[in-house]
């Protein structure tokens, strides 16, 4: 006798739970727990990381990310307007910039601004300026596309209503389009901050003074000094202190934006 659809779905869920339990049991049986404990949960090595991992590494990670995001947001806004411009050369320049920085690994951009650009142009960037330039230039390419999509998502009726009230094109963009576009793109912008936070770890390749350490560099130095992977684990947990709240914020903003858009569609209907 053939099983009903409901019973097949129930049996399939049972198989999935059984596989999950089997995987956990196998992991528990074959893992070398004493060695894992010594490698990752060394309390003496963990104690040595405080308070520097918070007061220096975490703070510097936030500073590098904030500088990069500030430059990326400003430059991304200009690029988004250039991409939507009716003047073809502006669109070409913005497209070339966006495609270049979205296609080049962030690591190469860090190396370029850490070694290449200072050598070629006889310039000197401190580590904070280098982080801002590398993260900001790459971030702006992604933010520009997000902003462009947000601007294009603003209902045309809003623009037409503003123009019918006598607003100029520029004033309509600044007072009507841009504020609504920013509300739409807040969730993806939050995701961009998460990506920049993780990308900021690449700055350790440029060589940092102790007071400039970010989380990845701090964890690596702790590994060298203690011979334990506990500092790496702590650095990873510190990253999660930043990224998990941002992830929840992104999902909250996404739900809130979705509800507002739904209400807007119902009003227009």
């Amino acid at each position: 006798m053939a099983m009903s659809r409901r019973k097949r779905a129930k049996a399939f869920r049972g198989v999935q739970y059984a596989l999950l339990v089997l995987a956990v049991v196998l992991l528990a049986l074959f893992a070398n727990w004493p060695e894992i404990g010594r490698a990752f949960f060394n309390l003496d090595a963990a104690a040595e990381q405080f308070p520097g991992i918070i007061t220096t590494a975490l703070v510097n990670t936030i500073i590098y990310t904030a500088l990069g995001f500030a430059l990326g947001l400003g430059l991304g806004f200009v690029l988004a307007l250039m991409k939507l411009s009716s003047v073809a050369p502006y669109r070409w320049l913005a497209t070339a910039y966006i495609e270049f920085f979205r296609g080049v690994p962030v690591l190469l951009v860090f190396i370029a601004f850490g070694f290449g650009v200072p050598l070629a142009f006889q310039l000197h960037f401190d580590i904070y300026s280098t982080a801002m330039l590398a993260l900001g230039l790459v971030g702006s390419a992604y933010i520009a596309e997000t902003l462009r999509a947000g601007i294009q998502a603003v209902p045309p009726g809003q623009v037409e209503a503003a123009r019918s009230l006598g607003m100029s094109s520029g004033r309509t963009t600044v007072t009507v389009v841009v504020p609504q576009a920013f509300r739409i793109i807040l969730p993806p912008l939050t995701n961009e901050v998460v990506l920049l936070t993780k990308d900021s770890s690449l700055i350790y390749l440029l060589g940092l003074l102790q007071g400039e350490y970010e989380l990845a560099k701090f964890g690596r130095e702790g590994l060298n000094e203690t011979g334990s992977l506990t500092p790496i684990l702590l650095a990873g947990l510190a990253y999660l202190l930043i990224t998990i709240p941002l992830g929840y914020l992104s999902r909250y903003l996404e739900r809130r934006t979705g509800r507002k858009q739904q209400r807007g569609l119902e009003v227009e209907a």
Side-chain angles (χ1 to χ4, degrees):
M1 182 177 176
M3 294 175 66
S4 66
R5 186 174 178 180
R6 185 175 178 180
K7 287 185 177 179
R8 284 200 304 271
K10 188 176 180 181
F12 184 62
R13 281 198 301 273
V15 171
Q16 292 182 74
Y17 280 120
L19 288 174
L20 181 62
V21 170
L22 178 63
V24 172
V25 170
L26 289 175
L27 179 65
L29 288 176
F30 291 100
N32 188 343
W33 293 109
E35 190 58 35
I36 291 175
R38 280 192 293 272
F40 289 97
F41 303 103
N42 185 323
L43 295 181
D44 292 333
E48 292 179 17
Q49 307 309 304
F50 290 93
I53 193 169
I54 301 296
T55 57
T56 300
L58 183 61
V59 169
N60 278 334
T61 297
I62 293 172
I63 291 174
Y64 296 145
T65 303
L67 289 172
F69 182 73
L71 177 63
L73 184 61
L75 190 53
F77 180 64
V78 174
L79 288 166
L81 294 181
M82 289 174 66
K83 193 80 183 285
L84 295 171
S85 171
S86 57
V87 182
Y90 282 159
R91 295 199 304 274
W92 299 339
L93 285 172
T95 301
Y97 177 97
I98 291 169
E99 294 301 326
F100 177 80
F101 279 104
R102 290 206 310 177
V104 174
V106 184
L107 175 63
L108 296 185
V109 180
F110 268 108
I111 293 174
F113 281 94
F115 304 108
V117 173
L119 183 65
F121 297 96
Q122 297 298 305
L123 297 172
H124 172 71
F125 299 127
D126 62 23
I127 205 68
Y128 295 98
S129 300
T130 304
M132 182 176 68
L133 287 169
L135 293 175
L137 292 178
V138 174
S140 66
Y142 291 93
I143 292 172
E145 284 295 83
T146 303
L147 275 166
R148 179 190 57 76
I151 290 172
Q152 290 180 320
V154 175
Q158 300 281 333
V159 178
E160 293 168 3
R163 297 302 301 273
S164 69
L165 293 173
M167 289 187 184
S168 65
S169 176
R171 187 179 175 190
T172 300
T173 300
V174 172
T175 61
V176 177
V177 176
V178 172
Q180 293 191 60
F182 266 98
R183 281 198 293 271
I184 294 171
I185 66 168
L186 273 177
L189 275 185
T190 309
N191 288 331
E192 184 60 32
V193 176
V194 173
L195 294 176
L196 289 177
T197 301
K198 293 187 288 185
D199 287 342
S200 69
S201 64
L202 295 172
I203 201 168
Y204 84 91
L205 293 168
L206 304 182
L208 302 174
L209 301 176
Q210 193 168 16
E212 299 167 341
Y213 284 4
E214 40 67 52
L215 287 168
K217 177 68 174 175
F218 198 89
R220 285 170 58 90
E221 289 300 312
L223 170 64
N224 294 335
E225 292 170 2
T226 65
S228 168
L229 290 166
T230 303
I232 298 293
L233 177 64
L234 289 176
L237 292 175
Y239 275 114
L240 294 179
L241 288 177
I242 303 173
T243 58
I244 288 180
L246 286 173
Y248 277 105
L249 177 62
S250 174
R251 286 190 287 276
Y252 166 74
L253 293 173
E254 196 170 352
R255 288 196 299 272
R256 186 177 173 185
T257 304
R259 286 197 296 269
K260 284 189 174 181
Q261 287 178 332
Q262 183 63 34
R263 283 200 294 270
L265 289 173
E266 290 172 357
V267 169
E268 286 186 2

